[in-house]
Amino acid sequence: MPDNTLPFENYPLRPAAFAASLGTTVVVVPHPDDEALGCGGLLALLRQAGLPVAAVLVSDGTMSHPNSRLFSPEARRAVRETEFRHALTLLGIDEAEPLLLHLPDSRVPGSPAEPGFTAAASQLREFLQQHAAATVLVPWRRDPHPDHRATSQLVAAALAEMPYPPRRLEYVVWAWERAASDDVPTGADQVQGFRVNIEAAVAQKQRAIAAHRSQVAPGVFTDDAAGFLLSEEMLAHFAVPYEVFFEAVAP
């Protein structure tokens, strides 16, 4: 069951100027909209500070409305990728072409034993090296969605092959709604949690979330009544003037 006593609001608050310390940044997202929800404010602050930002989209995003007959899987992918690009532009990220891995939504490989994992990790590593990333933003390793956890594993595999890997910050998306007690960090994780003040970027973040029209009411794929839409309760978590991150504690 979800944990209603999440400690996020008690984490220390870092100022907006923290963004300027991160250098060139690559954000890795499992689905279109995770970039806006999980770290849209920080991404906007990075661009406000003049830092380069590039993005990686891991899945094809087609399974939010799998029963749509008006929109084929290819059409759904095109809609969601267009929304993704629009949201990035609203956050100021329109110089670097994003890397689109096109892995299957809801079935992102999470281990080397699964088809596509090794190739995707290699593409991620090459992209990080191409952009000389100083920081990578990735979902929290136990964010309660299988694609988010798999994305974390893909990034971990990519970083393991780099002699000087970038700084890794982990953001939360579904932990706000679905986290069980063992989904949040423990001492064994050796990470510290903190918040970043995004007050100066809240409006940009909200516009980027709204750009994902297929995921917010009334939606786009309206012939799939059982399809996914972000609830008002879920959206409320991302209207606050801070974002939550985890980072490994320095040895």
Side-chain angles (χ1 to χ4, degrees):
M1 295 295 291
D3 188 338
N4 294 320
T5 59
L6 293 173
F8 300 160
E9 64 183 19
N10 297 320
Y11 287 166
L13 183 65
R14 299 186 181 183
F18 167 76
S21 71
L22 299 180
T24 299
T25 298
V26 170
V27 57
V28 184
V29 299
H31 313 99
D33 75 6
D34 289 322
E35 80 296 332
L37 295 167
C39 54
L42 179 58
L43 294 173
L45 292 175
L46 284 161
R47 294 300 297 130
Q48 289 175 22
L51 293 171
V53 178
V56 179
L57 176 58
V58 172
S59 84
D60 58 23
T62 60
M63 292 300 288
S64 67
H65 294 77
N67 300 314
S68 174
R69 294 181 178 273
L70 294 176
F71 293 84
S72 67
E74 293 76 15
R76 296 197 300 273
R77 185 178 84 178
V79 167
R80 298 210 65 193
E81 288 180 0
T82 297
E83 293 173 346
F84 178 65
R85 292 175 183 274
H86 185 201
L88 291 178
T89 297
L90 292 172
L91 294 171
I93 306 168
D94 52 9
E95 294 182 358
E97 178 67 16
L99 171 62
L100 308 177
L101 292 178
H102 292 155
L103 293 172
D105 189 358
S106 80
R107 292 183 288 113
V108 172
S111 78
E114 297 178 64
F117 181 92
T118 300
S122 178
Q123 285 182 273
L124 273 170
R125 183 182 69 253
E126 291 173 6
F127 191 78
L128 291 166
Q129 292 172 330
Q130 172 191 342
H131 288 277
T135 301
V136 60
L137 305 178
V138 59
W140 163 239
R141 64 196 69 173
R142 291 195 300 281
D143 205 42
H145 187 298
D147 285 348
H148 289 221
R149 297 183 181 202
T151 295
S152 176
Q153 293 301 311
L154 282 168
V155 172
L159 299 185
E161 296 298 321
M162 299 177 68
Y164 302 103
R167 182 178 184 178
R168 172 174 168 164
L169 300 184
E170 302 177 57
Y171 59 85
V172 297
V173 178
W174 282 107
W176 283 105
E177 283 283 299
R178 300 178 180 173
S181 58
D182 57 356
D183 292 330
V184 296
T186 67
D189 293 307
Q190 297 185 310
V191 299
Q192 58 183 340
F194 61 91
R195 296 175 296 153
V196 175
N197 185 335
I198 63 161
E199 189 172 3
V202 167
Q204 267 183 278
K205 174 171 177 157
Q206 291 303 305
R207 288 194 293 271
I209 292 172
H212 292 280
R213 293 180 55 244
S214 67
Q215 306 302 294
V216 296
V220 171
F221 311 124
T222 54
D223 64 323
D224 183 355
F228 172 80
L229 292 174
L230 288 159
S231 69
E232 290 300 320
E233 293 78 11
M234 180 68 169
L235 288 168
H237 296 300
F238 303 102
V240 296
Y242 62 82
E243 289 171 340
V244 174
F245 297 90
F246 302 110
E247 183 175 19
V249 177

